[in-house]
Amino acid sequence: MSYLRILNLALIALLASGVCSRAGLAAISPLYQPSPALEAADLAVIVNDADPLSRRIGEYYQVKRRIPADQIIHVSFAPNRPVMSKQEFTALKQKLDQRTPEAVQAYAITWLQPFRVECMSITTALAAGFDPAFCAKGCQQTRGNPYYASETDRPFKAHGWRPTMAVAGATFEEAKRLIDTGVAADYSQPKGAAYLLKTSDKARSSRAVLFPEIAKGLSQFWPVYYLEQDYIAGRQDVMFYFTGLTKVPHLADNRYLPGAVADHLTSSGGVMSGSDQMNIREWLRAGATGSYGAVVEPCNFPAKFSNPGVLMYFYLRGSSLIEAYWKSVAQPGQGIFVGEPLAKPFAYPPRVGAEH
């Protein structure tokens, strides 16, 4: 069975879960079934003490998100280089495993480089450990993500994975703006829209075959626009924007709501050391709160990029950004997640005295 079919079936199954047949009721929106979101108590922040910017971002993020002190994990390695070796990473991962409290379900890292561990992304390596099966020589499928489209809210407990996201920027000001936007998104219940674009770039529109069905399945619950054009501009309500181009024009001509998610399918969007293709940081600079991009050539397999339908399904139900994004990528080994992991615009504030 092709991965396109698997991705479609996953969305169909998720939407079907909104039917409350046992009570003899008509179908209801699955988005009305709240999903618990990861909180500060569930997240450990990894700081590279050899990188002054990483330290500063870590300190700011700890304060803004009230991360417990024992969940700030300090490591030290040479910063400002694109790739970490398997040997160096293995030693680092061993220390992390020893220092991470058992209850922690996810990681945030406070640097953009290194963004790779040899042939795989730093975020997937930290989440699941280094494994060559996450890599590919040529156009090949790679190891799958057991967390994909999963209903669990305890990924480490359920799968032994700690989803990881880089909460970082090229400067402290970039990172601060990202963090502040993510915090401001919490419980805001924004009224926005989703834009799914099939562009003139056929190779990079491979996942666009999913878009009409996603729009059909979700538009009765949330405004979803499937458009056959290269860009949008002048939109004031962008909550989701998914496209496929090497460079996306007019990013700054739109207004991105706090908690917005945006990415573009291309070969090197997650390469943080310079590329002739647009870097995913451009989405964050324009106002998005999370993005995802390839760190090595993945070929244009849709499974190696986010499925917008799955992402929106979980995010709109109240999941945190890191949960919804990680659940939307079936094969994340060659891509990096960047954003404010605990942003949860569609969650509801916890009741006073309620248990997690």
Side-chain angles (χ1 to χ4, degrees):
M1 182 182 295
S2 72
Y3 263 94
L4 280 178
R5 183 61 178 156
I6 292 172
L7 294 172
N8 270 333
L9 288 175
L11 176 59
I12 292 168
L14 291 172
L15 291 172
S17 70
V19 179
C20 188
S21 58
R22 184 174 59 181
L25 301 176
I28 62 172
S29 167
L31 307 183
Y32 297 148
Q33 302 173 11
S35 176
L38 292 180
E39 302 282 354
D42 304 309
L43 185 77
V45 179
I46 307 171
V47 176
N48 180 10
D49 285 343
D51 181 349
L53 179 56
S54 175
R55 293 200 309 269
R56 191 177 180 191
I57 294 170
E59 291 168 359
Y60 187 76
Y61 192 60
Q62 180 182 13
V63 171
K64 294 296 289 188
R65 279 301 187 186
R66 300 181 180 179
I67 308 294
D70 66 340
Q71 291 168 212
I72 305 297
I73 303 176
H74 294 270
V75 295
S76 184
F77 54 84
N80 304 319
R81 57 199 167 108
V83 183
M84 180 180 287
S85 71
K86 174 186 174 182
Q87 292 74 18
E88 185 179 8
F89 175 79
T90 299
L92 171 67
K93 186 69 165 60
Q94 185 176 21
K95 291 178 182 177
L96 287 174
D97 291 343
Q98 293 169 350
R99 299 175 186 176
T100 304
E102 184 70 18
V104 165
Q105 299 299 309
Y107 286 132
I109 61 174
T110 57
W111 67 84
L112 290 176
Q113 293 198 62
F115 55 87
R116 276 174 46 192
V117 179
E118 295 193 358
C119 56
M120 63 182 296
S121 74
I122 188 73
T123 51
T124 301
L126 287 167
F130 181 85
D131 183 349
F134 286 116
C135 310
K137 293 182 178 180
C139 290
Q140 301 291 330
Q141 303 282 357
T142 56
R143 179 180 170 183
N145 174 13
Y147 192 42
Y148 177 77
S150 167
E151 283 288 344
T152 185
D153 63 327
R154 314 305 290 169
F156 182 69
K157 182 177 180 180
H159 304 296
W161 285 33
R162 287 188 170 105
T164 303
M165 180 171 280
V167 51
T171 65
F172 176 72
E173 288 69 28
E174 276 190 17
K176 180 180 182 297
R177 185 167 56 250
L178 174 63
I179 293 166
D180 291 345
T181 302
V183 172
D186 287 2
Y187 317 123
S188 59
Q189 302 297 321
K191 304 298 182 183
Y195 297 90
L196 312 181
L197 270 61
K198 179 181 179 181
T199 72
S200 58
D201 189 330
K202 293 183 179 179
R204 294 173 180 84
S205 291
S206 58
R207 66 174 169 173
V209 298
L210 304 171
F211 291 174
E213 189 166 353
I214 291 171
K216 180 180 178 181
L218 284 174
S219 59
Q220 57 186 311
F221 312 125
W222 177 265
V224 181
Y225 300 102
Y226 167 63
L227 304 171
E228 295 187 3
Q229 58 193 56
D230 281 356
Y231 62 88
I232 57 173
R235 309 286 177 145
Q236 301 299 307
D237 60 353
V238 179
M239 194 69 207
F240 303 98
Y241 186 176
F242 300 97
T243 185
L245 283 174
T246 57
K247 297 179 181 179
V248 183
H250 299 286
L251 264 65
D253 294 337
N254 298 298
R255 175 173 171 257
Y256 301 84
L257 304 182
V261 184
D263 65 44
H264 59 303
L265 191 155
T266 193
S267 298
S268 57
V271 173
M272 303 295 172
S273 58
S275 169
D276 59 354
Q277 298 184 356
M278 188 183 98
N279 189 271
I280 57 175
R281 285 192 358 253
E282 296 302 318
W283 290 110
L284 307 182
R285 287 173 175 165
T289 308
S291 193
Y292 172 88
V295 299
V296 294
E297 174 59 64
C299 297
N300 62 346
F301 293 110
K304 295 184 179 183
F305 295 86
S306 62
N307 180 324
V310 176
L311 190 156
M312 287 189 283
Y313 171 79
F314 286 105
Y315 206 37
L316 292 169
R317 285 175 56 197
S319 291
S320 64
L321 176 60
I322 191 172
E323 294 170 277
Y325 228 145
W326 264 90
K327 289 181 179 184
S328 76
V329 183
Q331 296 178 9
Q334 295 171 295
I336 187 170
F337 297 86
V338 180
E340 202 287 275
L342 295 181
K344 41 191 174 294
F346 300 100
Y348 289 92
R351 290 175 296 173
V352 177
E355 295 183 0
H356 177 72

